[in-house]
Amino acid sequence: MHKRLVLVAIVLVMSWPGTAGAQRGDDPQVEKGRVVVAQVCTTCHTTLGRMLQVHKQTREQWRELVFFMISRGAQVMPDEIDAVTAFLVANSGRERPAARSPGQPEEKK
Amino acid sequence: MSRTSKPSRRDFLAATAATSVAMGMGQIASADPPQTAASRPDIPLTKGEPEIYRGTAAGAVLAQLRAAGVRTLFHTNTSGFVPFWEAVYAAGDVQVINMTHEGQAVAAAAGYTMASRNLGFFFGSHVGIPNALSNTYNAWKDRVPLLLTYSGGQREEGKDGFEWWDNTLGPTEAFTTWRGDLEPEDVTDTLRLAIKFAFGPPSGPVTLTFGAAGQKVEAPIHPIDLATMRVRSRAPAEAIEKLAQWLIEAQNPLFVVGSQVGIEGAYSEMLALAEKLSVPVAETMHSLYANFPNDHPLFVGELQAQRYPRKQDLLISFGESFTAGREDERGLTASGPRRIVHISHDSQALGRSFVPDVTILSDLRTAIRDLSDAVDAIATSDRIARIRASRLAQVSTLTNSLKQSREIALRAQFDSSPVTWERVGFELEKVLDKDAVIVPELGTQYYKIYRQLKLGGTNKQRIGRTKGDALGWGVAAAFGVNLALPDRQVVALQGDGGFLFNQSEALWSIARYEAPMLIVVMNNHSYNESRARNMLNGGTFYDAGKDFNGYLGDPNVEFTKIAEAYGLKGEKVTRAADLAPALQRCLRSMRDGKAVVLDIDVAVDGAPISEPTWYQKHSIAEIRKKRFNA
């Protein structure tokens, strides 16, 4: 069951269209990041597609989160940090940090 | 780790005679002038022949415990043990550790046992059983041999009497390996049986009603070597030979080291086998001990995070039972088809949480040695050396890269305030003794500290986090560890949320018994683990920025003042630059014999929510005012 979930997560990430579709395939960093995310993140985060929809963050926030996950044991190599960040920004980025009032809907990118 | 030594027979007899209780040959020994062990051999006893204790039933319990080398007892307030106290008083060599809550006493006994491999013994009132349950559960998950004994009216069935419920030990049934009654007629037989059940396997807590009081008994006392109490097993030679063949032929094998390596203390054997063929070594997220040095080039971290080798063809679990559920399952399935071998000294753990290809019932130390010998017998030393050299290069490249990434992550927010978890680990590693013992009770952010600390092997040891995860364990468990290892630095790593689960009570015992521990409170003013999980997939709470569960900062607890209320030292750090000087002050206090609670404001990690300090407000005072104003 869980193996199936992981596979679904990997497939979701590998086929993730992104909010900026033009970036897919055009930016080698994003493509490299997509492969790393599929290998590294989805082993634990089986709902990664949903998480990327929900947690839109700035480049700086995503970079911090990548560091956070490396410290927690994610096996991201030094030369992959920028690529993973680029993929996350391309698919779940925002310009400014979220500063919402209660009940205010999610900011649209 | 040290083990409390078994008393010599002379010590046992002399001390027992000092209780003024008639005890067969004990009186003969006490009549002799003191002699050194060198001048006179121990009186030989026929194997299996017990000494006969004559005295009170409660005294017989103590005599049998002492004959097993038990000298430390944990206790909480009650009035039901007068004959037992009299025996303790007369013995003169038994230390009773008073705690102020049954749950904390059980955690302390568990920590003591995990560090000493002695037997944790607790005695208290049966009405404290509900208090004791959560840490009894933790000890059961951790397979810690404990005897938890309770006084109380076990002959009141059906009456709904004072402090009474039917089936006294019933509530402990799910978390114990056995339950019994210490009654005068067979008191030491029952006690020995209880010890046997506690050590198993499966090992774990045993609960007993303590009906042994001032009744006069003649009871057999057997010497017990606790180190040999666990039933031993050894794998058939053909199974080991087959496994050795697989191991030599495997292109990408992986070892997973589990708690049973730590329970048996088979650290050096595990290291030698991994190094023989340069097999990468992983652990699960619920690893109870630091079973392998985490600064070793073969250590690749958590199983579920494994990225390399992608195509593992053989996974051998050494004493890991994969009880973490989904996380372990992901680790076991991520690599695709491969052979999975499960070695365990506990037959009930074999294949219980997953289906391996091969199960091997054996003591870990014996299995590791047998496997190593079988590899030597099958492969030439040249072949072994070639495998070792080529694979070491591959694994080292991986682990070096991961180390670089961790260093980048550490430095990215190095000077940030609130302090990062990585920085806390970094600073602790700089100042703590090389052989310090770390007792954590943290959420899954623990890894950010662990990987900055050198743990396992000849480095610092780690005991915990309890696999049970029931909060309210760590401070008392660390105190128990310090009782067992008085010459070692002991550091409790706590979250603020975990500390607030009944843990300040343990400070009373830490102060009374002058345990010079460091208690670090990683204070992010929240149940951040729960918040992250609750918010992971969004939803209306997340969209609204409202977390009903997570925020702890109102009231903003001054943990340093809690420490000071118990006469201990408190240190507060809010800025990264202040951490190193604060740690130096902590060490000075510890050298002077006083424990320190170090409260560090640490970063809240994970995806942010828009209103992190929101909570559902409710004020009884406001309601009261309205009523008065009406």
Side-chain angles (χ1 to χ4, degrees):
Chain A
M1 175 62 183
H2 295 297
K3 187 174 182 180
R4 201 178 307 142
L5 277 176
V6 172
L7 285 173
V8 168
I10 292 171
V11 169
L12 271 173
V13 171
M14 294 306 287
S15 60
W16 187 253
T19 49
Q23 291 183 341
R24 189 185 178 214
D26 294 346
D27 186 337
Q29 277 288 74
V30 174
E31 274 307 302
K32 180 178 176 180
R34 189 192 312 276
V35 173
V36 176
V37 166
Q39 287 185 0
V40 175
C41 308
T42 56
T43 53
C44 299
H45 297 298
T46 53
T47 58
L48 191 68
R50 170 70 180 156
M51 289 165 64
L52 292 179
Q53 281 183 317
V54 170
H55 299 286
K56 297 194 185 303
Q57 302 198 60
T58 65
R59 176 176 295 276
E60 190 55 36
Q61 285 175 322
W62 274 125
R63 192 172 173 79
E64 281 177 22
L65 203 76
V66 173
F67 290 143
F68 162 74
M69 290 310 304
I70 288 170
S71 292
R72 284 178 73 152
Q75 298 194 338
V76 178
M77 303 303 157
D79 66 342
E80 295 169 339
I81 293 171
D82 288 343
V84 171
T85 306
F87 170 79
L88 294 169
V89 171
N91 290 285
S92 189
R94 67 161 73 235
E95 294 295 322
R96 290 180 299 280
R100 290 169 290 159
S101 301
Q104 186 177 332
E106 174 75 10
E107 178 186 317
K108 299 286 186 266
K109 182 167 180 271
Chain B
M1 294 184 190
S2 69
R3 172 156 45 83
T4 303
S5 60
K6 178 174 169 279
S8 72
R9 185 171 170 279
R10 177 177 294 105
D11 292 341
F12 168 71
L13 291 172
T16 307
T19 66
S20 303
V21 175
M23 190 175 162
M25 284 184 289
Q27 289 179 313
I28 297 170
S30 66
D32 292 338
Q35 297 181 57
T36 65
S39 66
R40 190 186 134 188
D42 283 346
I43 299 168
L45 271 180
T46 307
K47 189 178 179 184
E49 181 181 331
E51 299 185 27
I52 301 301
Y53 169 95
R54 295 180 182 85
T56 65
V61 172
L62 190 71
Q64 182 60 76
L65 287 172
R66 293 176 66 247
V70 177
R71 291 291 185 277
T72 302
L73 314 178
F74 295 84
H75 174 64
T76 53
N77 170 51
T78 185
S79 57
F81 284 95
V82 172
F84 193 62
W85 282 117
E86 287 176 343
V88 169
Y89 177 70
D93 63 349
V94 173
Q95 178 67 56
V96 177
I97 301 297
N98 279 309
M99 307 285 290
T100 58
H101 183 280
E102 288 83 357
Q104 296 299 296
V106 171
Y112 172 81
T113 305
M114 292 161 89
S116 67
R117 301 201 185 98
N118 200 276
L119 174 68
F121 184 92
F122 165 78
F123 63 109
S125 169
H126 76 290
V127 292
I129 287 175
N131 278 346
L133 274 184
S134 68
N135 277 317
T136 305
Y137 153 78
N138 281 332
W140 175 73
K141 292 293 275 188
D142 296 339
R143 305 291 184 260
V144 182
L146 295 177
L147 295 191
L148 310 176
T149 66
Y150 297 97
S151 67
Q154 57 270 26
R155 301 190 187 285
E156 301 282 328
E157 297 283 336
K159 293 185 178 175
D160 191 22
F162 175 67
E163 294 184 350
W164 176 250
W165 66 90
D166 291 350
N167 187 11
T168 312
L169 299 178
T172 71
E173 191 168 341
F175 313 132
T176 46
T177 59
W178 192 65
R179 295 151 305 284
D181 301 312
L182 282 176
E183 294 296 330
E185 53 267 26
D186 55 359
V187 59
T188 54
D189 290 341
T190 302
L191 188 58
R192 282 193 301 279
L193 192 59
I195 294 172
K196 197 72 188 165
F197 271 107
F199 279 86
S203 52
V206 166
T207 47
L208 298 163
T209 57
F210 202 119
Q215 308 91 338
K216 297 297 179 188
V217 299
E218 290 188 8
I221 306 293
H222 291 264
I224 292 176
D225 179 3
L226 295 176
T228 62
M229 281 304 287
R230 182 172 51 76
V231 174
R232 301 301 171 92
S233 54
R234 187 170 189 174
E238 58 269 26
I240 292 292
E241 286 164 12
K242 186 72 178 172
L243 181 54
Q245 192 70 47
W246 286 357
L247 184 56
I248 291 164
E249 291 170 357
Q251 296 300 305
N252 292 307
L254 181 71
F255 288 170
V256 181
V257 291
S259 304
Q260 289 176 16
V261 172
I263 288 170
E264 292 190 26
Y267 302 119
S268 57
E269 288 85 355
M270 193 69 253
L271 178 62
L273 180 62
E275 287 181 335
K276 179 177 289 235
L277 291 166
S278 294
V279 179
V281 174
E283 64 185 8
T284 68
M285 68 177 295
H286 276 190
S287 167
L288 190 55
Y289 305 96
N291 297 304
F292 197 85
N294 69 351
D295 60 341
H296 195 283
L298 293 174
F299 184 72
V300 294
E302 284 186 277
L303 173 66
Q304 72 176 107
Q306 283 317 300
R307 188 177 176 194
Y308 298 104
R310 291 296 293 171
K311 303 290 182 188
Q312 295 156 22
D313 47 6
L314 176 66
L315 182 148
I316 306 177
S317 160
F318 291 92
E320 173 53 58
S321 301
F322 302 104
T323 52
R326 281 181 301 176
E327 286 79 7
D328 284 346
E329 200 170 332
R330 287 170 200 150
L332 287 166
T333 55
S335 178
R338 62 184 155 179
R339 285 176 170 142
I340 298 179
V341 179
H342 189 190
I343 306 173
S344 171
H345 66 216
D346 178 359
S347 63
Q348 292 191 19
L350 279 170
R352 183 166 180 162
S353 302
F354 69 106
V355 181
D357 297 286
V358 174
T359 57
I360 293 178
L361 177 64
S362 175
D363 285 5
L364 267 294
R365 177 180 276 110
T366 307
I368 295 166
R369 285 177 178 165
D370 286 350
L371 183 56
S372 181
D373 291 345
V375 167
D376 289 338
I378 292 170
T380 64
S381 56
D382 282 352
R383 186 178 178 193
I384 291 171
R386 280 197 305 275
I387 295 171
R388 177 169 58 237
S390 66
R391 195 179 288 142
L392 180 61
Q394 294 170 27
V395 182
S396 296
T397 300
L398 166 72
T399 50
N400 280 334
S401 287
L402 293 175
K403 190 175 175 183
Q404 287 172 33
S405 289
R406 285 197 301 273
E407 182 68 15
I408 292 168
L410 166 70
R411 297 292 168 185
Q413 306 284 335
F414 193 72
D415 295 318
S416 293
S417 300
V419 190
T420 66
W421 291 56
E422 295 91 329
R423 178 73 184 266
V424 174
F426 176 85
E427 296 294 348
L428 286 173
E429 176 60 30
K430 279 205 305 189
V431 300
L432 293 181
D433 291 349
K434 181 177 166 57
D435 66 349
V437 185
I438 310 296
V439 185
E441 187 175 30
L442 302 169
T444 57
Q445 299 193 67
Y446 62 84
Y447 229 70
K448 296 193 288 187
I449 293 185
Y450 288 6
R451 294 315 303 266
Q452 298 298 327
L453 296 169
K454 291 180 178 171
L455 300 169
T458 58
N459 299 319
K460 297 171 187 59
Q461 274 304 308
R462 171 172 60 81
I463 297 177
R465 177 183 187 179
T466 168
K467 295 174 83 160
D469 271 13
L471 286 172
W473 171 88
V475 179
F479 168 60
V481 170
N482 207 177
L483 283 169
L485 305 172
D487 294 331
R488 306 271 286 273
Q489 267 182 350
V490 175
V491 179
L493 291 179
Q494 272 292 318
D496 55 323
F499 189 92
L500 291 173
F501 268 75
N502 284 357
Q503 303 230 43
S504 63
E505 289 90 336
L507 299 181
W508 184 89
S509 299
I510 288 167
R512 168 169 280 198
Y513 301 107
E514 299 179 339
M517 302 161 47
L518 177 61
I519 300 145
V520 180
V521 178
M522 303 292 287
N523 191 352
N524 54 17
H525 308 279
S526 64
Y527 294 118
N528 196 50
E529 177 86 16
S530 311
R531 169 174 289 181
R533 291 183 185 280
N534 288 342
M535 301 292 170
L536 198 62
N537 295 313
T540 53
F541 295 171
Y542 176 76
D543 290 342
K546 308 265 191 274
D547 176 5
F548 281 75
N549 175 77
Y551 183 57
L552 281 173
D554 186 8
N556 189 16
V557 179
E558 292 283 353
F559 292 99
T560 55
K561 290 186 176 169
I562 295 177
E564 287 162 8
Y566 288 96
L568 303 176
K569 182 175 173 56
E571 278 280 349
K572 175 74 183 176
V573 170
T574 57
R575 298 186 315 135
D578 297 335
L579 181 54
L583 279 169
Q584 290 301 329
R585 291 192 294 275
C586 293
L587 292 177
R588 275 199 295 277
S589 177
M590 294 159 68
R591 278 194 291 270
D592 292 341
K594 184 176 281 193
V596 187
V597 172
L598 172 61
D599 176 358
I600 308 173
D601 272 3
V602 293
V604 176
D605 291 325
I609 63 170
S610 59
E611 292 192 70
T613 61
W614 182 89
Y615 63 94
Q616 188 179 26
K617 288 204 166 61
H618 181 74
S619 168
I620 296 171
E622 282 298 317
I623 297 168
R624 185 166 167 265
K625 279 180 198 167
K626 283 176 191 167
R627 183 179 165 194
F628 286 147
N629 293 335

